[in-house]
Structures are given as structure tokens and as C-alpha cells.
């Protein structure tokens, strides 16, 4: 199985597109928050409210995204995302080239663009991979794609920590622009024929949305499982706001420490990425989610209890391993449980829930972060992670043999 997919040229085209695009977006994703926090008055609040607005927008758009993924060509959808990023980044590059600076609204736009990229690219990629490859390859595929993603994160973190205080933001955007170009070319080379769902009559958008909602409500255990298993990922996303503040105000360190913390996080993610497929084969996907969620929880507790730079960096390894392992195992379960015709809407439903939780946390932290400090924000996240970890034990039926029988019935 693994040997056959290693010979598939489509896998390598997909990897090239993913890794180049992720590097560009990753560098910008570190540079933009740091630029706001260090170079603008009330930068923490500007960053926080930008994230709140972005999260609210994506929350409202998430159901639409799911329907579009299920209704239209997944390949064209992915390319469209890259084209939007290419055009908007290109416009900012041109302005920066002639004016040697960027306006605040352009920096906010770039922050919004990065969030939009992750909210649309990840569910579309999951659906594309599910359609492009055989179901027996999902464990290996999710493992290798997560490893690739984390390699890109490590490279982008290393480049960001080196570039942020040495070159202009516009130079970083030029790098981002060319990574979009490479990704578009790689995706365009993948042969793909979209098979639209056959219906005897025209299906409206609302009917499409309702059909997806019906599927979810009939499988309540799935709702609980993915709600609890997504908490490490939500913590990581909220951490994109908290970590720069934590490094600057609590640890009293510079951008290089922030960049290096991302490298340490990625090391943990890569280690688990190359071993999680073996773990799932040995103990099952459900138990893998339990184990990796616990690893992430320990890393977060260490960060909270010991506000020391060295411990923060080592804890990032645990958090990287925990989040990546949980993502790979839960994505594998989703691909096995959810039929191809519904996966876009189902995935977007959980994205909506994730965005709603994130929106609530950002709305809580942004006006208070200056007074309560980053450590108290981490304490609240730790409590949520503890609740989610114990909640996963309520979802034991996900680990039963019904998983495999349902996946066969649902494959369509």
C-alpha cells in the first residue's frame, strides 16, 4: 500500500504545492503579528480585534465553504484560493515597492488573508485527497501530509526568525508571492476529473446545507468526538495571538525566540508525523487521539506553570507532537466515517464550531490581555483542554468495529 503510493506522481505534485505555499504563508503569519505588536501603538489590541473580525467572518462563511467544496471541483477550489492569495499579496508588494512601507489596512488585510487561507485550504485539501486516493491509503497519506506541513512550518519559522529583523516586510511578501505561483503550477499539473453528485432535480444551496446538517445530527457521537479532538488545534490558533505577547511581555525575549519556538514546535510535529501512522496501526486511531491529546495538554501545563524561556521552548515540542498527532488521527477517522459527498460540509461544520470557540476566546482575551497578562489566558485554555481530554473518553464507540463497517456503507 505505502510502496504503491510512493510511486504515485500526484502525491509529489501535491506535496510540492502544499509545502511551498505553506512556507510563504507561514513566514508572513509570523512576520505580520510581530510587526503589529512591535511597531504600532496598541498593536496587541489591533492584532486581537483583527483576529476577532476574521474569525467572525470565517464563522459566517464556513457553511458556504463546505457546500462549495462538495458542489464544485476540489482542484479548482484549491487553485482559486491560491490565486486570491497571489493577487492580494501582489498588490501589497507593488505598493510596498513604490512607497517603501505598507499602510495599516494592508497589514490587517494580509493577516486576514493568512487566516482565510487556512480556513479554506485545509478542508478543501482533505476533500481533494479523499477523492484522489484510495481509502486504504488514508492513514499513510494523512501522516505524510502532516509531516510535510510541519517541515514547511519549521522552514518558515527558521526563515522568519532570520528575516524579520534583517529585511523589510515587503521582501518577505515577495517570497510569499512566488510560493503562491509554485503552488498553483503544481496543483494544475495533477490530473483530476470532478464527478458532480447526480440528482433528478436541481438542489438549492439551502437544501444542500440542510442535507449536510441532517447527516451530522444523525451521528451525534461524531459531533462530540470532533469537538473534543479539535481543542488542541483551537489552542494553537489562539496561541498565534497569545504567543507573541507571551514571548515579548512574560519572557522578555525578542523575535528570534518566537521564531525558534515555532521551530521547536515543528520538531515535535515532524517526529510524531513520521510515527503516527505506525501508532494508528498498533493501537488504533481513537487511542492515538487520546494519547496525543494528553501530550499536548502536558506541554501546555508546563508553559503555564514554568514561565521560563528554556521550558517554554521544550514544551513547544510536546505541543507540536500532540496537536499534529491528534490532527492526523482525527482526520483519518473523518475520512473513514464520512462519505465523500458530505465531507466538505461535515468538515466545515466542525470548522464553524472551532471558529466560534476561537471567537469567544479572542473576544475574552483581547480587551483584557493588557491587564491580566498572557499567563492567565494560557490558564483558561489549559482548563478547556482538560475538559476536552476527559470528554474524549465519552466517545469510545468511535474505536469500535462499526467505524470500518460504516465507512464502507458511507463510501460514495
Amino acid at each position: 500500500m505505502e510502496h504503491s503510493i510512493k510511486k504515485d506522481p500526484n502525491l509529489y505534485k501535491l506535496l510540492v504545492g502544499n509545502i511551498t505555499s505553506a512556507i510563504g504563508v507561514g513566514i508572513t503569519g509570523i512576520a505580520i503579528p510581530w510587526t503589529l505588536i512591535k511597531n504600532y501603538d496598541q498593536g496587541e489590541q489591533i492584532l486581537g480585534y483583527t483576529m476577532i473580525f476574521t474569525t467572525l467572518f470565517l464563522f459566517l462563511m464556513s457553511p458556504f465553504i463546505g457546500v462549495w467544496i462538495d458542489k464544485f471541483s476540489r482542484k479548482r477550489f484549491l487553485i482559486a484560493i491560491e490565486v486570491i492569495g497571489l493577487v492580494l499579496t501582489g498588490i501589497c508588494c507593488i505598493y510596498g515597492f513604490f512607497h517603501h512601507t505598507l499602510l495599516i489596512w494592508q497589514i490587517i488585510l494580509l493577516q486576514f488573508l493568512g487566516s482565510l487561507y487556512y480556513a479554506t485550504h485545509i478542508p478543501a485539501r482533505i476533500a481533494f485527497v479523499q477523492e484522489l486516493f484510495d481509502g486504504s491509503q488514508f492513514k499513510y497519506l494523512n501522516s505524510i501530509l502532516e509531516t510535510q506541513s510541519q517541515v514547511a512550518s519549521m522552514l518558515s519559522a527558521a526563515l522568519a526568525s532570520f528575516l524579520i529583523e534583517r529585511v523589510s516586510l515587503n521582501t518577505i511578501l515577495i517570497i510569499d508571492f512566488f510560493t503562491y505561483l509554485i503552488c498553483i503550477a503544481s496543483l494544475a499539473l495533477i490530473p483530476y476529473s470532478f464527478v458532480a453528485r447526480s440528482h433528478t432535480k436541481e438542489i438549492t444551496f439551502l437544501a444542500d446545507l440542510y442535507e449536510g446538517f441532517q447527516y451530522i445530527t444523525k451521528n451525534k457521537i461524531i459531533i462530540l468526538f470532533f469537538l473534543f479532538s479539535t481543542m488542541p488545534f483551537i489552542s494553537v490558533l489562539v496561541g498565534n495571538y497569545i504567543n507573541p505577547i507571551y514571548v515579548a511581555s512574560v519572557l522578555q525575549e525578542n523575535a528570534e525566540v518566537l521564531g525558534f519556538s515555532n521551530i521547536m514546535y515543528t520538531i515535535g510535529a515532524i517526529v510524531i508525523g513520521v510515527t503516527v501512522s505506525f501508532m494508528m496501526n498498533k493501537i488504533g486511531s481513537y487511542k492515538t487521539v487520546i494519547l496525543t491529546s494528553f501530550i499536548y495538554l502536558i506541554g501546555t501545563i508546563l508553559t503555564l506553570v514554568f514561565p521560563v524561556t528554556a521550558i517554554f521552548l521544550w514544551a513547544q515540542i510536546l505541543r507540536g507532537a500532540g496537536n499534529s498527532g491528534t490532527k492526523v488521527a482525527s482526520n483519518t477517522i473523518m475520512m473513514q466515517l464520512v462519505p465523500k459527498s458530505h465531507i466538505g460540509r461535515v468538515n466545515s461544520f466542525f470548522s464553524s464550531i472551532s471558529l466560534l470557540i476561537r471567537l469567544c476566546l479572542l473576544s475574552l482575551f483581547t480587551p483584557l490581555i493588557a491587564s491580566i497578562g498572557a499567563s492567565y489566558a494560557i490558564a483558561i485554555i489549559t482548563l478547556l483542554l482538560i475538559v476536552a481530554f476527559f470528554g474524549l473518553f465519552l466517545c469510545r464507540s468511535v474505536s469500535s468495529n462499526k467505524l470500518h463497517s460504516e465507512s464502507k456503507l458511507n463510501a460514495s
Side-chain angles (χ1 to χ4, degrees):
M1 171 198 321
E2 294 183 9
H3 294 294
S4 62
I5 197 171
K6 286 178 182 177
K7 296 178 182 178
D8 191 340
N10 291 332
L11 173 63
Y12 297 100
K13 294 171 189 174
L14 185 66
L15 290 176
V16 169
N18 281 343
I19 198 167
T20 52
S21 184
I23 288 173
V25 174
I27 296 172
T28 309
I30 296 172
I32 294 297
W34 191 259
T35 299
L36 280 172
I37 290 170
K38 299 301 287 187
N39 297 339
Y40 290 87
D41 292 334
Q42 297 183 321
E44 295 93 340
Q45 281 70 34
I46 295 173
L47 177 61
Y49 286 118
T50 299
M51 286 186 167
I52 289 172
F53 169 78
T54 302
T55 304
L56 178 60
F57 176 81
L58 293 175
F59 170 72
L60 296 174
M61 288 298 297
S62 194
F64 295 87
I65 293 169
V67 171
W68 292 334
I69 290 171
D70 284 340
K71 195 163 189 173
F72 302 112
S73 164
R74 279 94 189 252
K75 175 180 171 180
R76 289 183 180 177
F77 189 87
L78 282 168
I79 291 176
I81 296 166
E82 302 298 327
V83 170
I84 292 171
L86 178 80
V87 171
L88 294 179
T89 303
I91 291 171
C92 292
C93 283
I94 293 169
Y95 184 91
F97 178 79
F98 287 105
H99 297 273
H100 307 291
T101 187
L102 291 177
L103 300 175
I104 184 67
W105 70 264
Q106 292 169 328
I107 293 176
I108 292 172
L109 174 65
L110 291 168
Q111 176 67 32
F112 170 79
L113 180 61
S115 298
L116 179 66
Y117 171 86
Y118 286 113
T120 52
H121 180 87
I122 292 175
R125 189 190 72 183
I126 289 172
F128 186 52
V129 166
Q130 188 197 38
E131 199 168 36
L132 200 61
F133 298 97
D134 184 74
S136 62
Q137 301 168 327
F138 288 160
K139 288 180 183 178
Y140 180 73
L141 270 169
N142 282 317
S143 178
I144 197 170
L145 286 171
E146 180 63 21
T147 303
Q148 160 263 300
S149 174
Q150 297 306 330
V151 168
S153 295
M154 183 170 69
L155 291 173
S156 61
L159 286 169
S161 62
F162 176 78
L163 293 173
I164 285 175
E165 296 181 358
R166 291 177 174 84
V167 302
S168 68
L169 180 59
N170 200 56
T171 302
I172 293 173
L173 294 180
I174 291 171
I175 297 171
D176 195 9
F177 178 85
F178 282 104
T179 59
Y180 280 122
L181 271 180
I182 295 170
C183 182
I184 292 169
S186 299
L187 290 173
L189 292 173
I190 298 176
Y192 169 79
S193 297
F194 175 65
V195 179
R197 288 175 290 156
S198 57
H199 293 284
T200 55
K201 61 180 182 179
E202 184 67 21
I203 300 296
T204 65
F205 172 82
L206 288 177
D208 231 350
L209 195 61
Y210 181 67
E211 183 186 349
F213 180 74
Q214 273 190 315
Y215 175 83
I216 292 166
T217 53
K218 288 178 182 177
N219 296 272
K220 293 182 176 62
I221 195 67
I222 298 178
I223 297 176
L224 286 174
F225 175 76
F226 287 111
L227 174 63
F228 293 136
S229 66
T230 199
M231 272 310 302
F233 182 60
I234 294 171
S235 170
V236 170
L237 294 177
V238 176
N240 291 337
Y241 171 61
I242 296 174
N243 285 349
I245 301 170
Y246 181 80
V247 170
S249 62
V250 178
L251 300 181
Q252 299 287 311
E253 298 285 2
N254 58 22
E256 290 188 357
V257 169
L258 180 63
F260 192 61
S261 72
N262 283 286
I263 294 173
M264 298 293 278
Y265 175 95
T266 306
I267 289 172
I270 291 173
V271 170
I272 205 72
V274 297
T275 58
V276 71
S277 177
F278 173 80
M279 288 170 60
M280 287 189 288
N281 286 330
K282 286 293 182 183
I283 65 174
S285 299
Y286 169 74
K287 289 182 180 178
T288 300
V289 170
I290 295 286
L291 176 60
T292 52
S293 295
F294 181 70
I295 292 171
Y296 186 88
L297 176 60
I298 293 300
T300 306
I301 291 173
L302 287 174
T303 302
L304 173 65
V305 176
F306 303 102
V308 179
T309 301
I311 293 177
F312 169 68
L313 294 175
W314 284 109
Q316 286 293 89
I317 295 179
L318 296 177
R319 297 178 78 187
N323 180 53
S324 293
T326 304
K327 267 201 302 182
V328 171
S330 60
N331 282 345
T332 300
I333 292 172
M334 180 179 288
M335 286 183 176
Q336 291 173 328
L337 277 174
V338 182
K340 295 175 184 178
S341 58
H342 290 72
I343 195 166
R345 283 163 291 172
V346 171
N347 198 25
S348 287
F349 172 80
F350 293 116
S351 294
S352 297
I353 299 299
S354 170
L355 288 165
L356 181 61
I357 296 171
R358 192 167 130 208
L359 177 64
C360 293
L361 291 174
L362 288 171
S363 299
L364 174 66
F365 295 153
T366 299
L368 298 176
I369 198 78
S371 57
I372 67 172
S375 294
Y376 284 97
I378 295 173
I380 293 171
I381 290 173
T382 302
L383 289 175
L384 292 175
L385 288 168
I386 291 170
V387 171
F389 174 71
F390 286 105
L392 285 170
F393 289 96
L394 300 174
C395 308
R396 290 189 186 90
S397 59
V398 170
S399 64
S400 69
N401 291 329
K402 291 179 182 178
L403 175 76
H404 304 289
S405 61
E406 285 176 8
S407 66
K408 290 175 183 176
L409 290 171
N410 289 335
S412 59

